[in-house]
Amino acid sequence: MKRIFITLSITIFSIGITNVFYGQNTPSKEILNWYNGTGAGMHTEKAYKQLEGKKSTTVIVAVIDSGIDIEHKDLEGKIWTNEKEIPNNGIDDDNNGYIDDIHGWNFLGNSKGENVNQANLEKTRILRTLSVKFKDVDPLLVSASDQSDFKLYQKVKLEVETEKANYVKYIEQLESLSGLIDKIPGIVSKMIGIKDYTEKDLENWKTKSQEEDQIKGLALDIFSGRLTKAVLDEQMNYINDQINYYLNVDFNERTLIGDNPNDFSDTHYGNNDVEGPEALHGTHVGGIIGAIRGNNLGGDGVAENVKLMVLRAVPNGDENDKDIALAIRYAVDNGAKVINMSFGKPYSPHQKEVFEAFKYADSKGVLLIHAAGNDNANVDTDPNFPTSLYSFQAQKLDLFLTIGASTSNLNKDEDKGFFSSLFVCENYKTNHKLPADFSNYGQTKVDVFAPGSEIYNSVPQSEYKILQGTSMAAPMVAGVAALLASYFPNLTMNEIKNIILKSATSYKGRKYFKPGTEELVDFASLSVTGGIVNVENAVKMCLALEATKK
């Protein structure tokens, strides 16, 4: 499932919604392209200065996502074309099983051109399947051989029912909040005695109660544009999708597609509509990887000489394991060197089939980049599938990276315990939020962090938006891998992967808040490398390694 975050300081309402958009769409100078800059950025611009005069080759990056607006003005010339296929002749010219797959393939549609947008969560699918067997069964009569499935049934049933009940509460909260938006300015004016107050007036407001604190927080979000009725409408739409589709066992998106999602040999489904009905997420991901650089439109892509292969397999809801496995194989067979996977879910019924596809990519020298997930969870203990290390694996594959999300909040000073637990100033808090609050982490299963907070880049209809999530961090690294492969074609993808990890800026020994908490931990405990991707360092290492091969 693709997940992005909204940043709101709504303390009066406990809205635990994550898959929505950041409300401010006009970037400040501090936000625009920060991820390619210095400080907490990846030093991309400095890397390109080192590469001046050096020729590059085109690298194909497969984007397995919600689809991409292939006509976006910032992606002109950046979309992969299958030269072996004659456009729109209704014939599978290259005999790969996909008719008219000009720019990739859509695994979420049918031959009539109809497309899936909303889908179940995987736990909803599991509940629907197991309900046939266990819905009215007396727990005392469940056989020993069925105990494992019955426990899974009980687990997903509780999760689905609990989430649905919570979303009903969220609807009530959102409706109340929507009614407050118009009233807050008048309330604040009376409280502070200023009719036409400014943001500075709000910041200087010395509140005297919890109620005033809450109103101040709302007023600041309204004033900055982070809280609007449009933002609340987006959240309401998300909640309705949860109730009506994601968590609804009576809804089955696979009916439209017409295949058997449990039969991995049933591959003749889908269509060539690679944009689909909602390509916001995938277009943003694609822009991070390869949007035209230096044209003063939106944010710059990381990789310059890149072609994006579009594989639509991630709906609003959880992706199906079969779609992911087939998309991986399609990407490998059609020349991709890097595959970006900005999706994930807590349940995966066909883990071995997905792993076999990963192993196939690994055997062909294709680098897989996966987003760690946005639950501020430790994926060493709470997996986010697909994963770099399944329970049946002896060791990680060579060419698989899992990416956590970092912010622009770089603490330049070592933490020396100067601030006591009784006094933590706001600057101190900000400076200790280098790992994004939402990011998953793991000392063994997350390899490295990359910028994923407040990322301004392309969305459909040649527009731009600020989004955030590990979904944005993964394509940063996919872009870096493509950049390095483009300028150093004699290096293997395994060498490039190792350089990306070894060249990361290390923050070992530096303490930051563990995502989702205010517990200070060593950054080294959050990933394998304890670092953030640094393209400048990576290019230096590639140049040095290339020199040894001449």
Side-chain angles (χ1 to χ4, degrees):
M1 184 176 186
K2 52 186 185 288
R3 307 190 74 182
I4 336 169
F5 277 72
I6 188 165
T7 300
L8 290 175
S9 59
I10 304 173
T11 54
I12 193 170
F13 291 100
S14 55
I15 300 177
I17 302 170
T18 56
N19 306 41
V20 285
F21 318 129
Y22 185 77
Q24 180 183 338
N25 295 319
T26 303
S28 63
K29 291 181 180 179
E30 291 74 26
I31 289 178
L32 182 61
N33 279 318
W34 77 263
Y35 53 89
N36 282 322
T38 55
M42 298 190 298
H43 298 236
T44 315
E45 307 308 335
K46 284 195 170 185
Y48 275 106
K49 288 183 179 179
Q50 295 184 75
L51 294 168
E52 288 178 358
K54 188 175 177 62
K55 292 183 178 180
S56 65
T57 58
T58 302
V59 172
I60 300 171
V61 178
V63 180
I64 302 177
D65 215 291
S66 65
I68 291 179
D69 177 3
I70 60 175
E71 297 178 347
H72 196 291
K73 61 186 176 185
D74 225 357
L75 297 176
E76 289 179 5
K78 298 302 183 111
I79 304 299
W80 173 77
T81 297
N82 182 1
E83 302 292 348
K84 299 177 182 178
E85 195 78 10
I86 299 172
N88 306 317
N89 67 350
I91 299 172
D92 181 15
D93 300 292
D94 58 2
N95 296 311
N96 68 352
Y98 303 97
I99 297 172
D100 291 333
D101 55 320
I102 307 303
H103 301 295
W105 195 248
N106 170 22
F107 292 92
L108 299 175
N110 60 31
S111 59
K112 299 177 184 179
E114 299 171 320
N115 294 317
V116 162
N117 188 13
Q118 287 86 6
N120 290 145
L121 298 183
E122 195 63 66
K123 58 189 167 190
T124 307
R125 299 179 189 129
I126 294 170
L127 177 59
R128 180 171 54 244
T129 300
L130 294 181
S131 290
V132 175
K133 188 173 185 179
F134 297 118
K135 184 177 181 180
D136 298 314
V137 169
D138 185 338
L140 298 176
L141 299 179
V142 176
S143 66
S145 60
D146 285 337
Q147 281 296 325
S148 179
D149 282 347
F150 183 66
K151 288 180 181 178
L152 178 59
Y153 165 74
Q154 289 180 309
K155 185 174 187 293
V156 295
K157 184 173 184 291
L158 178 61
E159 289 180 2
V160 169
E161 290 177 348
T162 301
E163 283 195 37
K164 287 179 76 172
N166 285 338
Y167 282 119
V168 170
K169 294 177 183 177
Y170 293 152
I171 289 176
E172 297 172 356
Q173 293 175 349
L174 284 172
E175 288 174 345
S176 297
L177 186 54
S178 181
L180 270 176
I181 287 180
D182 292 334
K183 298 176 182 178
I184 286 292
I187 294 172
V188 172
S189 292
K190 289 181 180 179
M191 285 183 166
I192 66 176
I194 303 174
K195 183 178 180 181
D196 298 317
Y197 57 81
T198 65
E199 187 172 16
K200 188 174 182 179
D201 291 329
L202 287 173
E203 291 172 348
N204 292 333
W205 178 13
K206 305 299 182 182
T207 57
K208 299 177 181 179
S209 67
Q210 184 178 4
E211 180 187 6
E212 288 188 357
D213 284 341
Q214 292 168 340
I215 291 172
K216 177 180 177 179
L218 288 171
L220 282 167
D221 284 323
I222 292 169
F223 198 95
S224 67
R226 292 193 298 269
L227 176 57
T228 66
K229 288 188 176 180
V231 169
L232 295 183
D233 286 344
E234 288 175 343
Q235 296 198 33
M236 188 67 81
N237 289 337
Y238 171 74
I239 291 175
N240 286 328
D241 281 351
Q242 285 280 349
I243 294 171
N244 297 326
Y245 303 108
Y246 301 3
L247 299 166
N248 184 2
V249 294
D250 295 322
F251 170 73
N252 184 350
E253 77 278 358
R254 225 59 193 186
T255 303
L256 182 147
I257 296 174
D259 74 314
N260 179 354
N262 299 311
D263 182 358
F264 282 62
S265 66
D266 177 11
T267 61
H268 297 291
Y269 66 95
N271 59 49
N272 69 348
D273 179 6
V274 294
E275 179 173 355
E278 187 182 313
L280 181 142
H281 189 273
T283 303
H284 201 267
V285 166
I288 292 169
I289 296 169
I292 297 170
R293 292 179 51 77
N295 64 353
N296 296 318
L297 295 176
D300 288 343
V302 176
E304 192 171 42
N305 195 350
V306 67
K307 296 290 185 181
L308 304 174
M309 180 188 294
V310 190
L311 296 168
R312 185 171 181 265
V314 185
N316 286 322
D318 279 345
E319 61 279 359
N320 264 276
D321 287 344
K322 187 175 85 166
D323 297 338
I324 299 306
L326 293 180
I328 293 289
R329 292 180 181 276
Y330 180 101
V332 174
D333 290 340
N334 286 279
K337 293 300 294 179
V338 181
I339 300 176
N340 189 82
M341 302 183 293
S342 290
F343 52 81
K345 57 186 181 179
Y347 294 97
S348 175
H350 298 289
Q351 297 176 23
K352 290 189 176 180
E353 288 84 352
V354 174
F355 170 71
E356 287 300 319
F358 289 165
K359 192 163 68 170
Y360 178 64
D362 191 83
S363 72
K364 299 294 184 179
V366 179
L367 180 60
L368 299 158
I369 310 288
H370 184 231
N374 301 329
D375 303 301
N376 48 56
N378 185 347
V379 294
D380 288 350
T381 55
D382 299 308
N384 175 52
F385 295 106
T387 176
S388 60
L389 191 63
Y390 289 96
S391 60
F392 49 80
Q393 275 180 260
Q395 60 185 24
K396 287 184 179 181
L397 295 172
D398 287 334
L399 296 175
F400 194 114
L401 291 177
T402 303
I403 314 301
S406 56
T407 74
S408 59
N409 299 319
L410 180 61
N411 175 18
K412 297 179 181 179
D413 300 316
E414 294 285 343
D415 179 83
K416 298 177 180 178
F418 179 77
F419 293 96
S420 72
S421 59
L422 296 176
F423 177 72
V424 184
C425 70
E426 285 305 312
N427 286 336
Y428 175 78
K429 287 186 176 182
T430 299
N431 286 340
H432 284 77
K433 287 186 176 180
L434 184 60
D437 283 343
F438 51 78
S439 182
N440 285 353
Y441 55 92
Q443 197 164 17
T444 62
K445 289 187 178 179
V446 173
D447 293 288
V448 68
F449 277 64
S453 176
E454 296 185 307
I455 308 300
Y456 184 70
N457 217 295
S458 54
V459 295
Q461 307 305 313
S462 290
E463 295 182 356
Y464 303 88
K465 202 175 186 77
I466 297 170
L467 303 180
Q468 54 188 24
T470 57
S471 283
M472 285 61 249
M476 296 288 176
V477 184
V480 172
L483 184 162
L484 299 178
S486 174
Y487 280 95
F488 303 95
N490 294 328
L491 301 187
T492 68
M493 289 310 297
N494 194 38
E495 288 172 327
I496 286 172
K497 180 213 75 171
N498 288 334
I499 284 174
I500 289 172
L501 297 180
K502 290 178 182 177
S503 63
T505 301
S506 175
Y507 291 93
K508 291 180 180 179
R510 303 273 293 274
K511 290 190 175 182
Y512 298 94
F513 290 139
K514 184 165 69 174
T517 75
E518 290 191 359
E519 176 190 352
L520 287 172
V521 298
D522 190 329
F523 196 81
S525 69
L526 303 178
S527 70
V528 174
T529 61
I532 293 174
V533 170
N534 185 312
V535 195
E536 181 185 15
N537 290 347
V539 166
K540 287 178 181 177
M541 291 184 69
C542 285
L543 288 168
L545 181 58
E546 183 183 58
T548 67
K549 292 190 173 187
K550 290 181 179 179

